[in-house]
Amino acid sequence: MRSEPTSVLRHRIVEAPAGRLHLAEQGTGPLVLLVHGFPESWYSWRRQLPALAAAGFRAVAIDVRGYGRSSKPAATDAYRMLDLVADNVAVVRALGEESAVVVGHDWGSNIAAASALLHPEVFRAAGLLSVPYAPPGGPRPTDVFDHIGGPDQEFYVSYFQEPGRAESEIEPDVRGWLAGFYAALSADTMPAEGEPDPHFVAPGGQLRDRFPDGPLPGWLSEEELDVYAAEFERTGLTGALNRYRNMDRDWEDLAPHSGAAIKQPSLFIGGTLDASTTWMSDAIDAFPATLPALSAAHLLDGCGHWIQQERPDEVNRLLTDWLATLEH
C-alpha cells in the first residue's frame, strides 16, 4: 500500500554552487534525480514524480541553474557542464544522501551522463532520455555546427551562440514561441517529411519561421503551456540559452575524459521520430563500448522528442522496471 508521503509533492530550495536550486520532491526511498532539458523546467517530470514515488523511490526534479526558481548567474561561462555537474552533486548532499540514480532528458541527458562520468561515487546509475551518450572528444563543437546545413541555412545550435540573438526572437512572445517549438518536435504536430526542417534558420530569418502553425501537441494542454510560459516570461531565456554557449568550453574542460565510457548501470530511451536519435544513431550503435553496463536501449516507435511527456506511461514503466533491477 502506498504511504501518504508519496502522494504529496513538496517544493524546496537548497544551496548549491549556482547559488540556490529549486526542486520538486515526491516519495521516499532511494534517490532518483531528474534533470530537464531545453526549454523546460522541473515541470517536465510532472508525470514521472508520482509514478516513481508510488514505486518506492524518492523522486526529485530540479530546476537547472538559469531556469525557473533556481538562481541565474549573470556570467555566460557560469553554465558550463562542470558547474551543472557540481550543482547535481550539491543537491544529493543537501538532501542528506550519499548517492543517487540520475535521469536526464535532452540537455539533461548530457548533464546526467557527465555527472555519472565525473562522479561515479555519487551517481551509481544513469538514465538517458532522447539524447544518447557520446563520449567527450572529437572536433570543436562550434566548428561542427557551422558546417551543418550548408550555406543556405543555419543550424539552430549555431543560431543560439550569439548572446541576445535568440532572446530577441523568443522573449517578445514567449508563449507563442514555446508552443511552436514544442509542436515542431512532437510526433503528432511536427512538420511532414519534405517540409522545411525547424532545426534550421534561413538567412535573415528566425527559427520560428518553420514552426507549425496549428494545434498544440496532444501531450500539452493550454494550462500546461501556461506553466512553462509563465516561468520563462519571468526569467527570460538567457540562462537557458547559455547552456548552448558553453559547448566549446565543455569540450576543453572534458578533454581529459576523451573517449571515456560510463561504467555504471545505464538505460537509454529515445523516440524513432526524434532528430536526436536519428542524427546520433552512430552514438547508439557505439553503446556496447561507451555504455558497457547498459541495461537496455529502447526506441519508442512513432515518438518525438518530448519523450517523458509524449509517452508518460511507457516511460514510467521502463524507468521503474529498470530502477527495480538496481542495487540500492
Side-chain angles (χ1 to χ4, degrees):
M1 179 177 294
R2 190 171 68 178
S3 59
E4 177 60 27
T6 65
S7 65
V8 178
L9 183 68
R10 302 175 295 276
H11 292 268
R12 60 192 290 189
I13 299 289
V14 299
E15 299 298 317
R20 286 151 51 89
L21 288 180
H22 165 255
L23 58 86
E25 176 181 9
Q26 195 161 357
T28 58
L31 178 61
V32 180
L33 186 65
L34 303 169
V35 187
H36 67 81
F38 175 89
E40 301 177 280
S41 70
W42 76 268
Y43 190 67
S44 68
W45 300 104
R46 62 194 177 281
R47 298 186 176 104
Q48 283 66 52
L49 289 162
L52 295 178
F57 297 94
R58 184 184 187 185
V60 172
I62 65 170
D63 278 336
V64 174
R65 67 165 68 189
Y67 286 83
R69 285 173 259 174
S70 291
S71 292
K72 187 175 70 172
T76 300
D77 65 359
Y79 296 82
R80 62 210 305 157
M81 185 62 75
L82 294 181
D83 292 322
L84 301 177
V85 169
D87 286 345
N88 280 355
V89 172
V91 169
V92 174
R93 299 290 184 243
L95 294 174
E97 302 286 354
E98 293 296 320
S99 67
V101 176
V102 61
V103 177
H105 169 257
D106 182 75
W107 264 121
S109 178
N110 294 97
I111 299 168
S115 298
L117 178 66
L118 298 177
H119 289 281
E121 78 285 0
V122 177
F123 300 102
R124 56 192 181 85
L128 312 178
L129 274 57
S130 296
V131 177
Y133 175 61
R140 183 180 295 273
T142 54
D143 291 342
V144 174
F145 299 134
D146 285 345
H147 291 93
I148 296 177
D152 297 328
Q153 54 185 3
E154 182 180 14
F155 192 46
Y156 79 100
V157 178
S158 298
Y159 179 70
F160 285 167
Q161 292 301 310
E162 181 186 341
R165 185 182 178 197
E167 287 93 327
S168 69
E169 171 186 343
I170 303 168
E171 291 180 354
D173 177 23
V174 169
R175 192 179 191 278
W177 194 92
L178 289 176
F181 192 72
Y182 294 149
L185 306 185
S186 297
D188 59 340
T189 49
M190 63 176 52
E193 189 173 353
E195 294 182 3
D197 190 331
H199 294 90
F200 295 89
V201 179
Q206 296 184 322
L207 199 62
R208 69 187 306 156
D209 295 340
R210 297 182 174 183
F211 292 169
D213 183 17
L216 293 179
W219 60 266
L220 183 67
S221 70
E222 296 284 353
E223 293 74 20
E224 289 168 328
L225 176 59
D226 285 340
V227 173
Y228 284 122
E231 291 289 74
F232 286 110
E233 286 167 349
R234 183 174 55 79
T235 65
L237 270 293
T238 296
L241 289 163
N242 279 344
R243 177 81 289 273
Y244 292 91
R245 296 164 184 160
N246 280 278
M247 297 180 78
D248 284 351
R249 293 185 183 93
D250 297 340
W251 178 74
E252 295 170 355
D253 290 342
L254 297 175
H257 303 276
S258 179
I262 293 174
K263 298 178 181 178
Q264 300 95 305
S266 58
L267 176 75
F268 177 73
I269 312 173
T272 60
L273 298 181
D274 184 359
S276 298
T277 56
T278 55
W279 289 344
M280 298 185 70
S281 59
D282 288 350
I284 295 174
D285 293 341
F287 279 170
T290 61
L291 297 176
L294 180 72
S295 299
H298 303 276
L299 290 178
L300 306 188
D301 190 45
C303 184
H305 181 66
W306 316 105
I307 190 164
Q308 77 269 32
Q309 298 177 90
E310 290 189 50
R311 298 282 187 85
D313 293 342
E314 202 165 352
V315 169
N316 290 347
R317 177 180 60 79
L318 293 172
L319 282 177
T320 55
D321 287 353
W322 172 65
L323 291 166
T325 70
L326 303 175
E327 295 182 7
H328 302 308

